[in-house]
Amino acid sequence: MSEKPPVYDKVADAIDREKKFSEAQKDQFKGCFLDHYSEVNFSTKDVRLDRMTAEHFRVLDSVDIEFNRQDTILYGQNSQGKTSLVKSLLYNIAGLPDDPSAFDMTNLVKTDKKTMSTRGCWTIDDSPYTVERSLRQSGQGNSLSGDNKPYLLEGHSTQSTITTEFTDPSEVLEKFGLQQLRLRGHDPYDVLSLFFLMSEDFTRFLGEKHSELLDILFGINITTVVRAAEKEIDGLELSEPENRAVQRLREYQSEQKTLVDTEEQLADNKDDLTNTLLEKKERLQSIEEALSGQNELDRLRQRRNELQSRRADAKIEKSEVVEELASVRRRIERYEDTELLDDVGDIGEELQNFLTIPDRCPICTNRVDKEQREQLIDEHSCPLCEKEMPEDRYRTEVENVCPDKAADATSDQHREDLEELREKERKLKGEMDHLEQRIKSTEEEIAQVENDIDTHDLAALAEEQDELRRKLEDLQKKAVDTEVRLGSVREDLTRVNYEINAQQHLKEIAKQKETRRQSLTRFRSILERARDSQRQETKRQIANQIKNLFKYFNEGSLSEAHRVEFKSGGSYHFIIKTSGQTLDSSVADNSNAEINLHSLLFHTAVLKLLSESMNSPPIRLFIIDSPFDNEVDEQNANDIVNYLSALPAILPEYQVLIASADTDTFEKSDYENAFQLREFGGSTV
């Protein structure tokens, strides 16, 4: 929009004061206000009624009434079709409402007829127009058609001129100032209910349902920004997957942990099976060679030598693993007790010289060289006499060579390093166990080979061969089963990892939505406060207009009325205070005239204010159907007569039409000076 409305500064100031908004959000919400703030500009300025013709509409046969843009009272006996004629005006302007039953616009075609038609002659901005609109009832279920095919003609026509081409319904609504409001979500019948006061529901327009419509009519256009904010808030409603993302993420993470543990266990089992298979195959190969007819004894001896060499290699690997495991454990101890190490660090350095291993063996006292010294440290036994060194006389030099400073790391890094060390410790322990098993197995095989050498019993080897083959077959089956299970677990782990990523993404989306929703809710509150301030001013003006109308009521319930108060909230219900009672429009009693009085005063006051506005709906009609319904007592009836007689003077900008029953209380003389009178008998008038 080219110019900022006056309310913008108030809203922008409130946005700037909101501490929970970032600078980017403040700019965004200010832009949102300007983008959605819009005013309604009516292309038509003045619409009045000249003539109305209706055929087969509800109870009517054929009616043709001239109004000539004058204030008119239709009077006649009950059940003659006065209300039907009023509703034919509604239909002629807007067709069928979105919800026909809500406005008593059902069964519009007269019983035993298939079609009905309406023709209204209107003066629109001083130019004559005719609107024709029909309705056909036919087919299974008596479906209706034709209501959305109006005909808008220039000039006044007294005969049907329906052609094969109809006018776009939106063009007709635009002529009557209803299309722009419809585009904003307001049913044309809701708008028309301001100008058509129907006895079926006198207080229809007072409720909160029409508060936004009144906002637009009185220029409180900030309501369009409120609706835009509410629409975006509704669009941020979390979907079911987003709502469940946090819970499902926990479930998948728990499943992931179980699968990882299972994968590690299966991987370890696979390694054990592979190593065992290898050992058994080697033993089987050795036996098969021994039974092949060659020099079995030489082969046994050669096998023993190979096994002894393998045992030596395994022991070397074990010593390396032991050394590395000891180093890892010492580092773990330092990480677990970093503060203790810091406290005793200085003392340790002073004791270092006292604990270092001497140049002579502390067991046999023989001198040892550098290589023997390292063996002494690594294997805990004397390389000369092979006796085990007492624990209290042993100290490893490595601790003095590379002291770790775990305390230098951050707490997060500290935990990560500690986890890595523990994982390494587990693997080294497993490797050491495996090496010990290898050494033990090799030593057993050496013993067996040596026994074979001693006994040279080929029959026993043959039996062992058969046993080994059975064991190998069983081990291979277990290895295949383990491999299959491992593959399945890894597939499940891939799936679970994908789901975790997906749920984390949904969780982040839900978090962003909730953050946006909270900020929009605060923005909407700012808008609503600004709108409520404008509404209060509008209600104040309406209250003043109503108060000015009290002078026309001298006998009934309002004879001593002196104050009008609108209720808080979005509705336009109000309270009238008299010297003896309080009349509340929201709980008006149907058994007396309260509903009639409230609705007459409210609609008159609103139309009076709209007539003073520079941009108001162009319809210049105020149509009142059955103003004496709801068991109006004599005193209030006299006041209503007095008030209706004054309406043309109160609303000089409007064409006032009243449909009233011709009862004992109806006196034509009460209205002759202000209205043209038309007696209504349900047929052509």
Side-chain angles (χ1 to χ4, degrees), residues 1 7 10 38 65 126 185 194 202 232 237 297 323 361 400 407 420 438 482 513 525 563 602 621 672 680:
M1 55 189 302
V7 72
K10 182 177 181 179
S38 61
I65 300 179
D126 297 326
L194 175 63
F202 275 142
E232 186 173 353
E237 190 75 28
L297 189 57
E323 179 181 356
C361 172
N400 297 319
E420 290 179 2
R438 276 180 55 189
T482 301
K513 278 188 173 182
S525 297
R563 185 177 179 83
F602 179 79
L621 296 173
E672 288 177 343
F680 190 87

Side-chain angles (χ1 to χ4, degrees), residues 656-668:
V656 180
L657 305 179
I658 299 173
S660 177
D662 185 6
T663 63
D664 293 339
T665 59
F666 182 82
E667 294 291 341
K668 292 188 290 183

Side-chain angles (χ1 to χ4, degrees), residues 499-530:
E499 290 292 347
I500 286 175
N501 290 334
Q503 298 307 317
Q504 286 175 334
H505 179 65
L506 288 174
K507 180 181 176 182
E508 183 60 30
I509 290 176
K511 181 180 178 181
Q512 292 174 357
K513 278 188 173 182
E514 185 58 28
T515 300
R516 177 65 176 168
R517 187 183 181 90
Q518 290 175 359
S519 63
L520 277 169
T521 300
R522 287 191 288 271
F523 175 54
R524 181 183 62 184
S525 297
I526 291 173
L527 297 173
E528 287 175 340
R529 287 195 296 270

Side-chain angles (χ1 to χ4, degrees), residues 80 246 361 460:
Q80 294 298 306
V246 174
C361 172

Side-chain angles (χ1 to χ4, degrees), residues 414-430:
H414 178 95
R415 285 193 295 271
E416 292 177 4
D417 292 347
L418 186 57
E419 287 298 322
E420 290 179 2
L421 287 171
R422 285 175 175 162
E423 177 65 17
K424 189 172 183 181
E425 178 189 27
R426 186 187 69 79
K427 291 183 178 179
L428 288 172
K429 181 65 170 60

Side-chain angles (χ1 to χ4, degrees), residues 504-564:
Q504 286 175 334
H505 179 65
L506 288 174
K507 180 181 176 182
E508 183 60 30
I509 290 176
K511 181 180 178 181
Q512 292 174 357
K513 278 188 173 182
E514 185 58 28
T515 300
R516 177 65 176 168
R517 187 183 181 90
Q518 290 175 359
S519 63
L520 277 169
T521 300
R522 287 191 288 271
F523 175 54
R524 181 183 62 184
S525 297
I526 291 173
L527 297 173
E528 287 175 340
R529 287 195 296 270
R531 181 179 64 180
D532 289 345
S533 176
Q534 290 184 304
R535 280 181 175 176
Q536 290 303 316
E537 174 58 23
T538 298
K539 289 179 178 180
R540 185 191 65 79
Q541 293 178 10
I542 297 174
N544 287 337
Q545 290 291 338
I546 292 175
K547 190 175 180 180
N548 292 335
L549 298 174
F550 287 161
K551 61 185 177 182
Y552 296 101
F553 299 85
N554 301 311
E555 298 182 30
S557 302
L558 300 181
S559 60
E560 297 181 0
H562 59 84
R563 185 177 179 83
V564 180

